Amino acid sequence: LVKNFPPVEGKDGVTVFGDAIPYPPGKNMAPVPGKNIDVSVDGTEYFAIEAGLVVISGNQISVDKVLKTEGDVDFKVGNIDFDGTVIITGAIMEGFKVRATGDVLAQLVSQSSVDAGGNVTIEKGIIGAEGTSVKAGGNVTAKFIENAHIKAGGNVVVGETIMHSSISAGKHVVVRGGKHCNIVGGTVQVAGSVEAHTIGAESATKTVIEIGLDPAARERLQYLDSELVKQAENHEKVKQAVATLTKLKAQTGQLPPAKDELLKKLTETSGI
């Protein structure tokens, strides 16, 4: 991170009358190592022993496992991928991505992507579109969620409303504390319970609530079902290939070496 250069000898100055002006001795400005900082044996080089945010306070240098971004995540900042917790004082703007192994805290999510190993806390809300997603290993907390895909290993806690969104929670979904406290449109899948003042609407907006099955297990089951279909289709293709090659061998008495080798492999691997 830092290399400290010791002071070097200076040169005396001279007045307009030719008198010498002695130079003051240089001071060693070596930084003071703070947390997550290691120093070389000769004391000239400073190394980070953890990934994180470099913080210089006075004459001390340290590395924090927290990245704080003042303002919005936009073109001035770019995407964020950080091993630790990310704190954003503004919004995550359209098209940008934030990934953190720890928590993510921001004021607003606007048509962007968030992936956190810990909790995601959005002070205002999540305004989405087709590609908007928020994924958390822990809880997702926001004032409102609109047109977004939310996946939480823990709870999804919302103050006002969830509208036209896809919500998946390993524990509970709670809409409580605001004026409306409703869930309108979209799909909510939870292993635990769903709490809201109003679910659905009198209009034709379809609202689906699925309770009692862990969304991760449901997703795994859907994946296995699709893989089973693929395997069955592949098996059928192999059967047809074996039948074709076997018929050709019976008609000609002998297959070309490449086709004969293919027939052997297909027969061995498929058990046909």
Side-chain angles (χ1 to χ4, degrees), residues 238 242 245-246 249 255-272:
V238 170
V242 169
L245 291 172
T246 301
K249 187 175 183 178
L255 290 173
K259 290 186 179 295
D260 193 48
E261 183 64 26
L262 176 61
L263 178 59
K264 290 178 182 179
K265 288 184 178 179
L266 291 176
T267 304
E268 290 172 0
T269 56
S270 65
I272 297 173

Side-chain angles (χ1 to χ4, degrees), residues 2-6 28 30-31 39-46:
V2 173
K3 188 173 180 63
N4 179 50
F5 296 92
N28 192 337
V39 185
S40 62
V41 177
D42 61 5
T44 62
E45 294 182 308
Y46 292 70

Side-chain angles (χ1 to χ4, degrees), residues 66-67 69 80 82 84-88 98-100 103-105:
V66 175
L67 174 63
T69 300
I80 294 176
F82 183 68
T85 292
V86 176
I87 300 175
I88 301 162
V98 174
R99 192 197 74 83
D103 298 341
V104 172
L105 295 85

Side-chain angles (χ1 to χ4, degrees), residues 138-256:
N139 302 327
V140 173
T141 303
K143 189 174 182 180
F144 65 87
I145 298 173
E146 183 177 339
N147 293 314
H149 297 276
I150 310 296
K151 187 175 182 179
N155 302 314
V156 175
V157 181
V158 177
E160 284 285 349
T161 185
I162 298 175
M163 294 184 64
H164 310 295
S165 297
S166 172
I167 310 294
S168 171
K171 292 185 179 179
H172 311 289
V173 170
V174 179
V175 185
R176 181 199 300 164
K179 181 179 179 181
H180 301 290
C181 300
N182 57 8
I183 301 174
V184 179
T187 302
V188 176
Q189 298 177 330
V190 297
S193 62
V194 175
E195 176 184 336
H197 184 272
T198 305
I199 295 177
E202 293 182 0
S203 63
T205 302
K206 185 178 180 180
T207 305
V208 178
I209 307 293
E210 299 178 0
I211 298 174
L213 181 61
D214 185 353
R218 186 195 305 272
E219 190 174 308
R220 176 65 176 167
L221 182 60
Q222 290 174 345
Y223 169 77
L224 292 175
D225 284 343
S226 65
E227 283 298 303
L228 188 61
V229 172
K230 290 179 183 178
Q231 292 297 329
E233 291 175 350
N234 289 336
H235 185 70
E236 187 60 32
K237 291 178 181 178
V238 170
K239 282 178 61 178
Q240 292 176 3
V242 169
T244 300
L245 291 172
T246 301
K247 183 178 179 180
L248 182 61
K249 187 175 183 178
Q251 292 174 344
T252 61
Q254 184 178 353
L255 290 173

